Amino acid sequence: MKSSLILLSFSLAALTVSAGEASDPDVITSKASDIEFVGEQYRQLPFPRWLTEFTGMTRWPDLDPPYIPLDFIDMDKIPDFKPYRQGLCGVNPRDACSFDCDNCIAHDDVYTCPKLSQTFDDGPSPATLRLLNKLKHNTTFFALGINTVNHPDIYRKTMEAGHLMGSHTWSHAYLPSLSNEQIIAQIQWSIWAMNATGHHFPKWFRPPYGGIDNRVRAITRQFGLQAALWNHDTFDWKLVSNDPIRTEEQIYEEVRKWKSQGGGLILEHDGSHRPVDVALNVIDILGPDQMTVAQCVNGPDYIRNF
Ligand SMILES: [Zn+2]
């Protein structure tokens, strides 16, 4: 098993899938649902022996995972941008190609789809199960590592229902604010959670808050990950925060408008019940003629299953 961790030193060029052609994305600010389960008592997934051998640890980390050096990561390939906090977009370097700050899309970012398709971030959670009961098509779930080890049964159920699982980091960090080592830690622990639960290496990666720039990409590409962004945001998380400027009816109205315009990728959340309430109705509006992110670009579901 340990050897499978080292398999990632391959040519990235072979894995590059080009994004579709469409107009620039709409607004791109999003927010995590609250991460409810912090503390070892919530970890339902046993810590695997291969991971102890590899990391020296015996339990899954909390919100700030430790950096474990990996021999296939070349630090010299990572551009030397200074970290910047979320929302402080004025200070980010112009050549950073930031998605959340500047709507900048890299050549290998996927942000739209030939068919208008839903995607779900922040699970797995108990609310995910309600989606699984309703879905009649395969869709894409970007899972948090910490939620994956807290709800491995829900992760597996989602996967076994035929849905595509992608990475959404370990604990929903705004990656451009972190050091290179901290970004690596967020990615590696997310992947290890998926290895241990789903026995696969993810191909698709969704940055929390749309926080991706060329420094983050230089790291995620070395893991073989490809960014899956979006061009339609439901802002369903505003319902959770009781933001008065977002109502369910507004979301449905926008979804109907997007449907009349053709394809695209829609950002939704399955980390809590309120966004899932909305998603159940969005499924009715859009119907089952949707694609997974991999299908959108005719790409692979996973780098590897084992
Ligand atoms: Zn998220």
Side-chain angles (χ1 to χ4, degrees):
M1 187 71 75
K2 184 177 170 185
S3 62
S4 60
L5 293 165
I6 317 298
L7 291 173
L8 289 164
S9 45
F10 46 74
S11 161
L12 280 168
L15 288 158
T16 300
V17 181
S18 56
E21 290 172 2
S23 56
D24 285 338
D26 296 329
V27 194
I28 34 176
T29 319
S30 191
K31 183 180 174 295
S33 58
D34 294 333
I35 296 165
E36 300 161 46
F37 304 109
V38 175
E40 197 195 350
Q41 69 273 23
Y42 294 109
R43 306 282 183 266
Q44 296 300 311
L45 187 71
F47 196 81
R49 182 182 292 272
W50 58 266
L51 201 45
T52 294
E53 288 171 7
F54 196 76
T55 65
M57 292 179 59
T58 55
R59 61 183 66 168
W60 294 105
D62 260 335
L63 294 177
D64 191 13
Y67 162 67
I68 309 292
L70 297 172
D71 58 6
F72 63 86
I73 299 284
D74 183 351
M75 290 291 195
D76 293 336
K77 283 188 181 162
I78 304 169
D80 192 20
F81 300 145
K82 267 171 87 172
Y84 49 91
R85 291 206 342 251
Q86 188 185 11
L88 292 181
C89 281
V91 305
N92 67 311
R94 194 168 300 177
D95 55 350
C97 188
S98 159
F99 179 61
D100 66 314
C101 288
D102 304 319
N103 277 5
C104 185
I105 304 284
H107 68 93
D108 55 347
D109 291 347
V110 176
Y111 64 96
T112 187
C113 185
K115 292 180 178 175
L116 185 59
S117 299
Q118 295 168 273
T119 63
F120 297 95
D121 293 7
D122 297 357
S125 82
T128 310
L129 294 170
R130 297 170 53 223
L131 273 179
L132 297 184
N133 285 337
K134 171 97 177 179
L135 283 166
K136 292 197 164 50
H137 64 276
N138 291 343
T139 189
T140 313
F141 289 88
F142 293 97
L144 289 170
I146 203 164
N147 283 350
T148 298
V149 301
N150 288 339
H151 300 292
D153 48 338
I154 300 174
Y155 184 101
R156 290 195 190 104
K157 206 168 173 184
T158 307
M159 182 185 91
E160 283 159 9
H163 302 296
L164 176 61
M165 309 306 290
S167 164
H168 195 46
T169 73
W170 172 256
S171 59
H172 213 273
Y174 181 70
L175 298 178
S177 71
L178 304 183
S179 69
N180 293 342
E181 288 79 6
Q182 287 173 313
I183 295 171
I184 292 168
Q186 283 285 334
I187 302 301
Q188 65 188 170
W189 283 100
S190 155
I191 291 175
W192 288 334
M194 296 174 77
N195 291 162
T197 313
H199 300 285
H200 48 212
F201 280 93
K203 170 66 187 162
W204 302 101
F205 167 69
R206 160 99 21 107
Y209 316 99
I212 190 165
D213 61 17
N214 281 341
R215 186 170 66 96
V216 175
R217 290 185 187 94
I219 293 170
T220 53
R221 283 173 186 145
Q222 293 192 54
F223 284 93
L225 295 168
Q226 190 167 351
L229 307 172
W230 61 88
N231 59 351
H232 296 306
D233 191 343
T234 57
F235 294 101
D236 55 357
W237 55 269
K238 291 189 176 183
L239 300 170
V240 179
S241 62
N242 285 321
D243 189 324
I245 67 168
R246 197 63 173 166
T247 67
E248 295 187 11
E249 258 323 305
Q250 282 175 324
I251 294 175
Y252 305 143
E253 205 172 298
E254 284 206 309
V255 169
R256 287 186 203 101
K257 185 187 79 185
W258 297 334
K259 190 181 180 190
S260 72
Q261 293 169 343
L265 279 178
I266 302 177
L267 172 61
E268 299 186 67
H269 294 88
D270 67 315
S272 58
H273 283 288
R274 194 84 192 277
V276 167
D277 292 339
V278 172
L280 295 174
N281 292 320
V282 172
I283 291 169
D284 285 335
I285 294 170
L286 294 183
D289 191 20
Q290 302 187 36
M291 294 173 138
T292 66
V293 165
Q295 290 168 337
C296 292
V297 291
N298 199 21
D301 285 349
Y302 300 97
I303 288 176
R304 183 174 294 262
N305 295 286
F306 60 92

